[in-house]
Amino acid sequence: IKIYSLHVDCKVTSRFAHTVITSKIVNRANESREATFEVELPKTAFITNFSMSIDGKVYPGIIKEKASAQKEYDAAVSHGQSAGLVKITGRKLEQFHVSVSVAAASKVTFELTYEELLKRQLGKFELLIKVRPKQLVKHFQIDVHIFEPQGIRFLETDSTFMTNELTEALTKVQNETKAHILFKPTIDQQKINPELDETLLNGDFVVRYDVKRGATAGDIQIVNGYFVHYFAPHEMPVFPKNVIFVIDRSGSMAGRKIEQTRDALLKILQDLRPEDRFSFITFSRNVVEWKSSLLQATAKNVASAAGFVQTLSASGGTDINRALLTAASVLDKAESLPERSVSMIILLTDGQPTSGETNVEVIQENIQKAVNGKYALFCLGFGFDVSYKFLEKMALSNGGIARRIYENADAALQLQGFYQEVATPILMKIEMQYPENAVEGLTKSNFKLFFEGSEIIVSGKISNELDLLPVEIKAQSHSSDLTLKEEANIKEKEQVFQNQSYIFGNFIERLWAYLTIQQLLEKSISAQEEDQKTLEAQALELSLRYSFVTPLTSMVVIKPTGQQQTELANKPTEAG
């Protein structure tokens, strides 16, 4: 079984990435063989299409509601369950895997399409393509086209498998608003050494870039009546932070995890700004406050905290409830905090609550009452013994996010990396305002906090025949209350994309659908049961209308007669 052609074609239009992977395989044996198509795609992406063509006949994947797809599948497969076609394979990736039997001398073409909205983190967008053909491929090619009407500020490629020979197969062409990256190694360039038929191509191929930002009120783009508004102010004064680190030191943290936590906290202490205030709460069965109040991050206090961090050791149970309630009460009692400052609680835990209150619903309720919208709660789950669902719900209900920290050698770096994302709040209470009678289906438009290096994205549909779309942004910065205004000329904006040949026409509409589905699913995590059903119904309707494989839909893949005929591709989630 030989892969004779593998093509990854990725078009990024204004942060929205549309990737098509095409693999062509021939069976050179004189009997039928199994051909496998195995690709890894980002967890943040939604599969939108898949097909197999065998000897000219096309077998398309069909996207349906998850429950009805499962029913159909159960009926088709009486003997046992297959594992499904998609599974999580790491921090950022999930794997799509399908096999089909191919007759002697026959050919099969697999084609998978997925889409995602690239998210700006620490000042850049990252496009990740996983490369692992497992054999030498005669026609191997990665094409990345980027079109950013705001202009490309910088662009870099990075890869975990590059050699000097392979670098020669990489070309990069760019002008003000467009870039084309082509990676096309010959069979000889793909080899580990000339004698062996082993491939070097195994790892990540990454493109990172950022765009230019001129206008203060962000940038608006419009296609076919749908708009997207990007807002990422920079070079603004940073709010002082009041941050409490709530650190799990229960028995299961003993050994490498607590060491890595100590390493990360020592680095994070160095990153605190002098105007920040901070404290530590550690917990196992007992909850220990390092100090009874927040301290200013002076050199002396930071040094004293470092001494405390170095003594952290782990044993005992896990009283998450009391630890978080204590953190909220320290912030409640804090005096003389700067009027314009951002208060946050960062929880790191590796397990389930086992001491004190252990009912997760009661804990969630207690914390929500105590935090009461005044502080942002970030929950970091260390490893796979945590109830990620519980942490995610708690964070999303309290203005923060949850993140899994993987138990690897670089866990300390993961922790620091997370801290860097939330280290520089520069705006709060951001309201993105659009004329009510002229815009419908608006995605989330109010944001509690904006951190330097990220980006706010709002999208919607312009409902009537407007010539101008006025927008107004209200926010608080450290020094003042801001009001930014902008008017987008709809005809001019539409023109920008009209003559771009390689752009798929309704990309802003698809971007809007992608963003709306992501936000509905996120909202449903922390919603009450009856609201949850409504939110999921809306997300399902959009997933079907735009054919996205989301946690609410499945793709049914039907194979030629005589093989296990039906298989399902579902979207795995971090919470399992």
Side-chain angles (χ1 to χ4, degrees):
I1 285 277
K2 197 85 185 124
I3 303 174
Y4 62 91
S5 163
L6 184 59
H7 191 182
V8 179
D9 182 45
C10 181
K11 297 182 170 56
V12 184
T13 312
S14 183
R15 344 274 198 266
F16 195 62
H18 174 90
T19 304
V20 183
I21 300 179
T22 312
S23 172
K24 298 184 176 181
I25 296 177
V26 60
N27 177 7
R28 297 245 167 91
N30 47 15
E31 57 193 3
S32 64
R33 290 276 163 92
E34 194 89 333
T36 299
F37 175 67
E38 186 178 280
V39 291
E40 287 178 86
L41 59 141
K43 287 179 182 177
T44 42
F46 290 149
I47 290 172
T48 66
N49 211 335
F50 171 71
S51 69
M52 301 183 281
S53 322
I54 302 170
D55 291 336
K57 185 169 190 269
V58 179
Y59 299 85
I62 296 152
I63 295 176
K64 300 189 170 179
E65 183 195 358
K66 203 171 191 171
S68 62
Q70 190 64 48
K71 221 181 260 160
E72 187 176 319
Y73 175 77
D74 292 342
V77 185
S78 45
H79 51 92
Q81 276 277 40
S82 108
L85 301 174
V86 188
K87 62 173 195 284
I88 288 183
T89 51
R91 296 177 199 182
K92 294 182 176 176
L93 296 162
E94 57 195 37
Q95 182 194 73
F96 179 91
H97 174 113
V98 67
S99 304
V100 61
S101 172
V102 183
S106 279
K107 290 180 176 176
V108 55
T109 298
F110 294 104
E111 186 176 281
L112 179 75
T113 306
Y114 60 84
E115 292 176 346
E116 68 174 318
L117 181 57
L118 302 180
K119 195 172 161 198
R120 188 165 183 252
Q121 272 176 325
L122 300 174
K124 44 174 103 65
F125 299 100
E126 179 178 286
L127 178 74
L128 170 61
I129 296 170
K130 185 76 174 182
V131 177
R132 214 158 69 105
K134 295 183 179 170
Q135 52 171 274
L136 300 172
V137 177
K138 188 173 179 187
H139 302 286
F140 179 94
Q141 186 167 336
I142 296 177
D143 268 297
V144 178
H145 286 272
I146 298 172
F147 175 49
E148 287 289 350
Q150 283 169 271
I152 297 170
R153 191 174 67 80
F154 84 90
L155 175 77
E156 60 183 28
T157 55
D158 188 11
S159 139
T160 52
F161 53 78
M162 273 300 166
T163 58
N164 291 341
E165 281 72 42
L166 281 175
T167 316
E168 292 168 17
L170 180 67
T171 53
K172 199 163 74 171
V173 182
Q174 86 182 81
N175 62 21
E176 189 68 13
T177 56
K178 288 183 187 171
H180 177 211
I181 293 156
L182 172 66
F183 179 54
K184 196 175 176 180
T186 61
I187 279 212
D188 286 339
Q189 287 170 322
Q190 293 171 41
K191 289 182 179 178
I192 287 182
N193 70 41
E195 281 72 64
L196 291 175
D197 280 351
E198 277 179 51
T199 178
L200 282 164
L201 306 183
N202 181 2
D204 299 345
F205 184 82
V206 182
V207 179
R208 292 190 193 90
Y209 73 93
D210 195 20
V211 301
K212 295 180 177 163
R213 291 182 176 79
T216 45
D219 188 77
I220 293 171
Q221 298 173 19
I222 302 171
V223 171
N224 297 345
Y226 282 82
F227 78 90
V228 60
H229 184 183
Y230 296 110
F231 179 53
H234 50 104
E235 291 170 8
M236 294 183 89
V238 178
F239 281 108
K241 297 190 295 297
N242 314 307
V243 57
I244 299 188
F245 297 94
V246 181
I247 305 296
D248 184 340
R249 53 176 170 80
S250 61
S252 53
M253 285 285 289
R256 187 158 86 149
K257 281 194 230 174
I258 199 83
E259 278 167 33
Q260 292 173 318
T261 302
R262 286 197 299 256
D263 291 348
L265 290 173
L266 291 170
K267 297 272 191 341
I268 287 169
L269 281 168
Q270 298 307 313
D271 288 342
L272 288 170
R273 292 191 170 74
E275 60 275 16
D276 290 339
R277 286 169 172 72
F278 75 104
S279 191
F280 288 98
I281 289 171
T282 64
F283 68 97
S284 53
R285 260 192 317 274
N286 309 318
V287 173
V288 177
E289 295 179 61
W290 170 55
K291 298 283 189 236
S292 56
S293 62
L294 289 161
L295 294 192
Q296 186 106 24
T298 60
K300 184 169 167 241
N301 288 338
V302 165
S304 144
F308 165 73
V309 165
Q310 273 154 337
T311 65
L312 280 183
S313 63
S315 68
T318 312
D319 191 344
I320 293 178
N321 182 60
R322 208 152 51 94
L324 287 175
L325 291 177
T326 307
S329 108
V330 170
L331 286 169
D332 286 341
K333 291 192 307 234
E335 283 161 14
S336 70
L337 291 181
E339 191 185 321
R340 292 200 174 220
S341 62
V342 170
S343 297
M344 52 175 84
I345 298 169
I346 298 178
L347 166 72
L348 172 69
T349 178
D350 76 332
Q352 321 267 0
T354 59
S355 304
E357 179 56 68
T358 55
N359 178 327
V360 291
E361 267 126 33
V362 176
I363 298 176
Q364 278 159 349
E365 220 165 286
N366 291 347
I367 303 313
Q368 205 162 344
K369 264 200 205 103
V371 169
N372 196 15
K374 296 176 296 214
Y375 321 124
L377 169 63
F378 297 96
C379 296
L380 303 177
F382 205 148
F384 282 86
D385 297 332
V386 290
S387 164
Y388 191 81
K389 219 176 185 155
F390 158 64
L391 294 178
E392 186 172 43
K393 182 170 180 177
M394 216 161 38
L396 292 173
S397 308
N398 295 290
I401 58 170
R403 194 56 76 74
R404 195 187 296 280
I405 301 296
Y406 288 80
E407 288 183 52
N408 294 75
D410 69 341
L413 286 172
Q414 295 174 58
L415 286 165
Q416 273 167 264
F418 171 78
Y419 173 75
Q420 278 160 355
E421 285 177 51
V422 298
T424 42
I426 55 175
L427 288 180
M428 54 202 235
K429 299 187 180 145
I430 304 113
E431 293 173 28
M432 313 279 284
Q433 299 172 343
Y434 309 86
E436 258 172 51
N437 55 351
V439 166
E440 51 186 293
L442 196 63
T443 59
K444 181 178 167 169
S445 58
N446 288 355
F447 302 85
K448 268 189 173 169
L449 293 171
F450 175 79
F451 297 100
E452 174 83 67
S454 64
E455 179 172 63
I456 283 175
I457 304 178
V458 181
S459 181
K461 187 179 179 184
I462 301 168
S463 48
N464 53 20
E465 293 300 308
L466 284 186
D467 296 325
L468 294 173
L469 177 67
V471 303
E472 187 168 302
I473 303 173
K474 289 195 156 81
Q476 292 180 4
S477 79
H478 184 225
S479 47
S480 63
D481 287 358
L482 305 175
T483 303
L484 307 169
K485 291 183 176 179
E486 179 81 56
E487 271 192 333
N489 180 319
I490 294 173
K491 288 230 170 11
E492 271 175 29
K493 292 284 181 188
E494 290 254 8
Q495 213 44 57
V496 173
F497 294 98
Q498 237 120 49
N499 26 24
Q500 302 303 331
S501 55
Y502 64 78
I503 285 152
F504 46 112
N506 59 347
F507 91 93
I508 293 186
E509 184 177 344
R510 293 193 69 79
L511 180 159
W512 166 82
Y514 172 97
L515 190 58
T516 305
I517 292 166
Q518 293 277 32
Q519 291 178 357
L520 288 166
L521 292 171
E522 190 168 287
K523 220 163 144 186
S524 79
I525 291 170
S526 57
Q528 299 302 318
E529 207 169 320
E530 44 288 9
D531 298 341
Q532 212 165 13
K533 289 200 165 54
T534 319
L535 294 164
E536 286 185 355
Q538 292 171 311
L540 172 63
E541 195 274 319
L542 284 173
S543 304
L544 291 169
R545 187 179 351 149
Y546 291 96
S547 84
F548 285 127
V549 178
T550 69
L552 304 168
T553 52
S554 290
M555 185 191 286
V556 181
V557 174
I558 295 175
K559 298 185 185 177
T561 355
Q563 307 190 30
Q564 181 190 340
Q565 278 209 276
T566 314
E567 289 201 89
L568 290 188
N570 290 329
K571 173 88 187 153
T573 62
E574 195 59 69

